[in-house]
């Protein structure tokens, strides 16, 4: 006998659908009653923010794709047509172009939050690795998107980055020719980059769904890094976390809007308003800011293949991070020594980013090399060793314990509430 | 610990603010005050109109502006009939006609500004090998934007400083990357007769051109900022409501 899903919904139409395809039960389970640790702070909102950014990028990108022409002869002019003649085309393009930067800002903060609170540790290893996959897909998508306007930086950025593959012995040059669809970055390259730039966001969307599915199996980590012991430690996702996330999303959108409306070209490069010219090389070829730390690592190694391997290695260490960190304690709150090194790593990433924007010579090259050395030292040596040596500070027995202790202050705030209402 | 964190966060802010300065090298650009800078700044239309006059009488002899339709000038106050009259002063190639021949016709506002040369090679041939860049986007395509344009236009020196070997046909400019530029010092005091009676000093002309080119590169600048103010005010109010809602909901929890 075929058996329908036992649905709890009252509405007969919803119930009819839900008992055949329990999508309402699933959504209710995952987004209504999904228990979140009650002590999560605003850093936990960056997952939701990144999700919103993905939706904004797909929505604006779809409309832009209706106006854009992926042909080297007219690509640049078609973008200018969007800016000048398409209704609100300037808005769509600036929202999309700055959206890429803000997507990366959200994701970088999301990742550093994971690093600080040990969100990559058991049982969340696969969740973390899926996240690294999303990051890689984002980098590929952003890189190809930057090529589409076919300005000088588009062309030369594409040339430099695709040429990286030529560093591999024997297979290198054929791979590059295959990527280009010819013997230089040209129309076939632009065409396929456009096709892939359209495709990859939907792949990202799919992987994001997996990321969320993996998250909802283990549940969210929290600032204490200890597992919830029961319902007293959690709140239902809706409305408590939805409302908190929405507030964070709106604040994030304010900063984003400041860039879109008042400094829309701040994070771009002026050279990209010059049409691509294979005969004129820009004085400095710089990638978008979100690639700069990796670009610094690439250029820090004096050998081309070594540089390429180090750059990919910088992301590969993130994949194996759950096993490199030998400490059983998740949150940096209880790791007095590692907590210092976390901030050193954050500083290191910023310094690498700055060095990546500078010409690779003189003291900037030296700084990039020191930064690169520290990056790998941090993940490959410090984390495994520190986990064995460090004595964690005492941890609370449960999430509720410190929450209730601090609750006196929160309660005092809550008492003030009726006055606000009045 | 806290100190280290402060250092890092302030470094992040400093790096972010320094970001735009990264690409500029060598000489520091003097900055001007522009009508269109700041949150509420809008394009100074009178200045942009004067800038257009210079473009028409001086720049357009060598420089194209091929991405810009003539109708764009409505944004700096040109009326429909003025635009039609202006457009008609240009000759635009059209065709082919029924006999298969291309012919010239008077321009209409929907046409783009015609280029002075048929192609880049023709432009180089007439300009001692140098290619005068297209001006449609030049205000956005140079580090420093309008400040660079102003500095460049006022930055010519009659002779190169000691020790600089100026190549034949080149001119010395304090702000041009590499300092040697094919373009001559074109702006002269009273080189144009402004229709509105403004005194045409070199500085005034440079400022008007830079304002005009900023408008041409970003014709939606005023609309963008006006919308931005509304969007951000809306978001701030929304954020306030969200925060109040969040506080109220979480208060019940304790």
């Amino acid at each position: 006998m075929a058996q329908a899903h036992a649905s709890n919904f009252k509405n007969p139409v919803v119930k009819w659908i839900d008992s055949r395809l329990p999508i309402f039960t699933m959504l209710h389970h995952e987004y209504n009653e999904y228990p979140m640790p009650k002590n999560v702070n605003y850093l936990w909102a960056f997952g939701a923010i990144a999700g919103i950014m993905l939706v904004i990028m797909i929505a604006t990108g779809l409309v832009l794709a209706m106006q854009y022409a992926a042909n080297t002869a007219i690509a640049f002019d078609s973008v200018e047509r969007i800016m000048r003649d398409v209704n609100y085309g300037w808005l769509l393009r600036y929202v999309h172009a700055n959206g890429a930067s803000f997507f990366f800002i959200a994701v970088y903060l999301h990742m550093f939050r994971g690093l600080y609170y040990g969100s990559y540790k058991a049982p969340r290893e696969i969740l973390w690795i899926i996240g690294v996959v999303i990051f890689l897909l984002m980098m590929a998508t952003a890189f190809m998107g930057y090529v589409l306007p076919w300005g000088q930086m588009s062309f030369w950025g594409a040339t430099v980055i695709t040429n990286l593959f030529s560093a591999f012995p024997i297979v290198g040059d054929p791979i590059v020719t295959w990527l280009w669809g010819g013997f230089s970055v040209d129309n076939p390259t632009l065409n396929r980059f456009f096709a892939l730039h359209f495709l990859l966001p939907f792949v990202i969307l799919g992987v994001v769904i997996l990321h969320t599915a993996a998250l909802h199996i283990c549940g969210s980590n929290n600032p204490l890094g200890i597992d919830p012991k029961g319902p007293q430690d959690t709140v239902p996702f809706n409305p408590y976390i939805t409302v908190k996330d929405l507030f964070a999303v709106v604040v994030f959108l304010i900063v984003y809007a400041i860039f879109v409306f008042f400094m829309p070209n701040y994070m771009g490069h002026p050279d990209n308003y010059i049409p691509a010219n294979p005969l004129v090389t820009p004085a400095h070829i710089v990638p978008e800011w979100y690639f700069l730390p990796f670009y610094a690592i690439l250029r820090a190694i004096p050998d081309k293949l070594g540089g390429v391997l180090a750059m990919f290695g910088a992301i590969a260490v993130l994949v194996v991070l759950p096993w490199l960190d030998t400490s059983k304690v998740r949150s940096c709150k209880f790791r007095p020594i590692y907590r210092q090194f976390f901030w050193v790593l954050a500083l290191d990433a910023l310094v690498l980013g700055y060095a990546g924007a500078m010409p690779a010579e003189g003291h900037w090259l030296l700084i990039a090399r020191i930064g690169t050395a520290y990056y790998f030292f941090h993940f490959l040596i410090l984390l495994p060793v520190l986990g064995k040596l460090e004595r964690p500070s005492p941890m609370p027995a449960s999430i509720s314990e410190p929450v209730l202790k601090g609750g006196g202050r929160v309660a005092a705030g809550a008492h003030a509430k009726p006055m606000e209402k009045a | 610990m806290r100190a280290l964190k402060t250092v890092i966060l302030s470094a992040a802010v400093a790096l972010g603010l320094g970001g735009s300065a990264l690409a500029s090298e060598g000489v520091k650009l003097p900055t001007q005050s522009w009508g269109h800078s700041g949150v509420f700044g809008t394009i100074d239309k009178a200045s942009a109109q004067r800038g257009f006059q210079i473009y028409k009488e001086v720049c357009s002899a060598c420089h194209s502006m091929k991405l810009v339709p003539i109708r764009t000038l409505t944004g700096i106050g040109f009326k429909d009939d003025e635009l039609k009259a202006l457009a008609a002063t240009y000759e635009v190639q059209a065709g082919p006609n029924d006999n298969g021949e291309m012919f010239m016709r008077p321009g209409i506002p929907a046409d783009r500004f015609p280029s002075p040369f048929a192609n880049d090679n023709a432009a180089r041939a007439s300009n001692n090998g140098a290619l005068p860049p297209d001006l449609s986007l030049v205000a956005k395509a140079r580090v420093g934007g309008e400040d660079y344009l102003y500095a460049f236009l006022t930055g010519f020196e009659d002779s190169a400083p000691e020790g600089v070997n100026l190549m034949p046909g080149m001119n010395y400019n304090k702000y041009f990357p590499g300092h040697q530029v094919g373009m001559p010092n074109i702006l002269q005091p009273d080189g144009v007769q402004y229709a509105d009676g403004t005194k045409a000093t070199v500085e005034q002309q440079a400022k008007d051109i830079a304002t005009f080119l900023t408008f041409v590169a970003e014709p939606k600048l005023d609309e963008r900022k006006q919308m931005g103010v509304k969007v951000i005010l809306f978001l701030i109010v929304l954020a306030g409501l969200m925060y109040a809602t969040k506080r109220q909901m979480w208060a019940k929890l304790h």
Side-chain angles (χ1 to χ4, degrees):
Chain A
M1 265 307 278
Q3 210 163 19
H5 168 73
S7 177
N8 292 326
F9 284 90
K10 297 265 186 311
N11 183 311
V13 179
V14 172
K15 192 182 176 74
W16 188 89
I17 297 171
D18 196 53
S19 50
R20 284 154 183 81
L21 178 70
I23 190 151
F24 293 100
T25 301
M26 193 270 274
L27 286 176
H28 174 72
H29 181 66
E30 301 297 341
Y31 292 100
N32 249 337
E33 58 181 12
Y34 169 68
M36 282 284 287
K38 65 202 294 183
N39 60 333
V40 293
N41 58 33
Y42 276 108
L43 287 173
W44 263 261
F46 284 104
I49 290 171
I52 299 257
M53 287 314 300
L54 178 62
V55 173
I56 291 176
M57 293 305 280
I58 289 179
T60 51
L62 178 70
V63 186
L64 287 171
M66 293 174 188
Q67 305 287 349
Y68 169 78
N71 182 299
T72 52
I74 51 173
F76 188 90
D77 291 4
S78 80
V79 172
E80 271 312 303
R81 216 192 124 260
I82 292 172
M83 293 297 289
R84 290 161 193 274
D85 296 346
V86 173
N87 291 335
Y88 297 104
W90 58 270
L91 179 62
L92 287 167
R93 175 162 172 268
Y94 281 154
V95 165
H96 196 74
N98 287 284
S101 284
F102 276 84
F103 197 177
F104 272 97
I105 289 173
V107 164
Y108 277 134
L109 290 169
H110 189 61
M111 289 167 77
F112 272 101
R113 188 270 288 152
L115 285 173
Y116 189 83
Y117 294 111
S119 301
Y120 48 86
K121 293 187 190 183
R124 298 188 181 86
E125 300 96 325
I126 292 195
L127 172 62
W128 171 263
I129 291 170
I130 293 174
V132 178
V133 171
I134 296 173
F135 179 52
L136 269 174
L137 286 168
M138 277 177 66
M139 292 172 94
T141 312
F143 161 66
M144 287 189 278
Y146 195 59
V147 176
L148 302 186
W150 209 242
Q152 272 289 67
M153 257 335 137
S154 300
F155 178 86
W156 290 100
T159 304
V160 169
I161 301 299
T162 48
N163 251 317
L164 294 180
F165 292 92
S166 70
F168 295 105
I170 305 166
V171 293
D173 285 325
I175 287 182
V176 174
T177 309
W178 177 74
L179 285 174
W180 287 341
F183 299 101
S184 66
V185 173
D186 207 336
N187 200 46
T189 327
L190 179 62
N191 261 301
R192 64 191 53 192
F193 277 20
F194 180 52
L196 291 171
H197 184 72
F198 201 103
L199 169 73
L200 285 185
F202 296 97
V203 177
I204 293 177
L205 185 64
V207 184
V208 165
I209 292 171
L210 285 181
H211 192 64
T212 321
L215 171 71
H216 285 214
I217 294 297
C218 317
S220 298
N221 188 25
N222 63 77
L224 295 175
I226 53 179
D227 294 325
K229 298 281 186 297
Q232 74 281 5
D233 289 345
T234 64
V235 291
F237 188 82
N238 194 36
Y240 295 101
I241 305 297
T242 13
V243 72
K244 194 171 174 178
D245 279 356
L246 279 174
F247 168 62
V249 165
V250 175
V251 172
F252 189 82
L253 288 181
I254 292 174
V255 184
Y256 179 22
I258 289 172
F259 275 82
V260 168
F261 292 105
F262 298 104
M263 41 214 294
N265 294 306
Y266 182 80
M267 289 187 281
H269 196 292
D271 274 13
N272 228 27
Y273 280 111
I274 302 173
N277 184 350
L279 301 177
V280 180
T281 317
H284 297 295
I285 302 175
V286 224
E288 289 282 78
W289 68 266
Y290 35 81
F291 294 134
L292 288 175
F294 298 100
Y295 195 55
I297 292 175
L298 169 78
R299 299 190 304 177
I301 312 286
D303 173 65
K304 188 177 178 187
L305 179 59
V308 172
L309 291 177
M311 186 178 69
F312 286 120
I315 299 164
V317 291
L318 296 177
V319 175
V320 289
L321 174 63
W323 296 277
L324 289 173
D325 188 348
T326 48
S327 171
K328 291 276 172 288
V329 178
R330 290 197 193 108
S331 175
C332 268
K333 265 199 165 126
F334 308 109
R335 299 188 62 186
I337 302 173
Y338 175 62
R339 191 165 62 206
Q340 318 269 353
F341 283 105
F342 168 86
W343 289 106
V344 176
L345 179 73
L347 182 67
D348 188 51
L350 290 172
V351 167
L352 278 173
Y354 200 84
M358 295 319 227
E361 57 202 23
H363 64 285
W364 283 114
L365 184 59
L366 181 69
I367 289 171
R369 285 185 176 155
I370 296 171
T372 305
Y374 179 77
Y375 184 90
F376 287 103
F377 164 80
H378 181 97
F379 285 108
L380 296 177
I381 298 170
L382 187 77
L383 275 177
V385 173
L386 202 59
K388 305 269 187 233
L389 299 181
E390 188 180 31
R391 260 181 71 132
S393 42
M395 310 227 302
S398 78
I399 291 175
S400 301
E401 189 191 326
V403 165
L404 288 180
K405 238 188 259 163
R409 285 199 302 274
V410 178
H415 281 304
K417 275 270 107 90
M419 285 203 306
E420 274 176 33
K421 268 183 247 167
Chain B
M1 177 56 221
R2 192 144 289 238
L4 181 61
K5 203 152 87 178
T6 319
V7 167
I8 289 166
L9 292 179
S10 43
V13 173
L15 289 176
L17 295 179
S20 70
L22 283 186
S24 65
E25 58 213 56
V27 212
K28 193 159 161 40
L29 288 177
T31 51
Q32 314 299 323
S33 81
W34 301 98
H36 56 262
S37 56
V39 172
F40 300 103
T42 51
I43 293 283
D44 178 345
K45 287 182 182 167
S47 174
Q49 286 196 15
R50 290 194 296 270
F52 171 66
Q53 189 189 339
I54 304 170
Y55 160 77
K56 196 162 161 261
E57 293 175 14
V58 183
C59 317
S60 64
C62 299
H63 289 275
S64 61
M65 200 162 70
K66 58 189 175 196
L67 296 173
V68 184
I70 298 169
R71 63 179 149 77
T72 307
L73 298 182
T74 41
I76 51 171
F78 277 73
K79 302 276 176 293
D80 272 1
D81 46 338
E82 288 172 329
L83 268 186
K84 279 181 189 151
L86 171 73
T89 62
Y90 290 101
E91 286 267 284
V92 180
Q93 196 187 42
N97 64 14
D98 292 347
N99 296 325
E101 285 152 5
M102 305 301 279
F103 59 92
M104 301 304 279
R105 62 158 173 78
I108 55 168
D111 287 321
R112 279 147 209 253
F113 282 100
S115 304
F117 302 104
N119 52 55
D120 285 0
N121 288 5
R124 281 185 195 278
S126 305
N127 286 287
N128 197 18
L131 176 66
D134 185 79
L135 297 183
S136 316
L137 285 165
V138 78
K140 290 200 283 187
R142 297 290 181 277
V143 175
E146 54 273 54
D147 283 326
Y148 169 79
L149 296 179
Y150 179 90
F152 172 79
L153 288 169
T154 56
F156 285 93
E157 302 272 342
D158 291 337
S159 57
E162 293 268 330
V164 175
N165 192 9
L166 206 58
M167 291 194 301
M170 298 298 255
N171 304 282
Y172 189 86
N173 188 293
K174 277 188 284 187
Y175 301 103
F176 187 74
H179 301 301
Q180 306 208 17
V181 59
M183 178 173 151
N185 186 11
I186 202 81
L187 296 183
Q188 302 303 331
D190 296 316
V192 289
Q193 203 68 21
Y194 276 137
D196 64 0
T198 307
K199 182 148 178 50
T201 60
V202 169
E203 288 75 18
Q204 183 67 47
Q205 294 178 55
K207 194 148 188 206
D208 292 341
I209 296 176
T211 302
F212 173 66
L213 291 178
T214 303
F215 164 73
V216 158
E218 190 81 8
K220 305 293 167 68
L221 185 143
D222 292 357
E223 188 188 352
R224 165 160 64 75
K225 286 188 178 176
Q226 282 156 11
M227 186 191 282
V229 170
K230 288 180 215 156
V231 167
I232 287 168
L233 282 179
F234 169 80
L235 286 174
I236 289 173
V237 171
L238 186 63
L241 290 173
M242 283 290 175
Y243 186 65
T245 314
K246 186 255 162 194
R247 288 269 303 209
Q248 200 172 25
M249 271 182 188
W250 280 74
K252 286 182 210 149
L253 214 56
H254 298 290

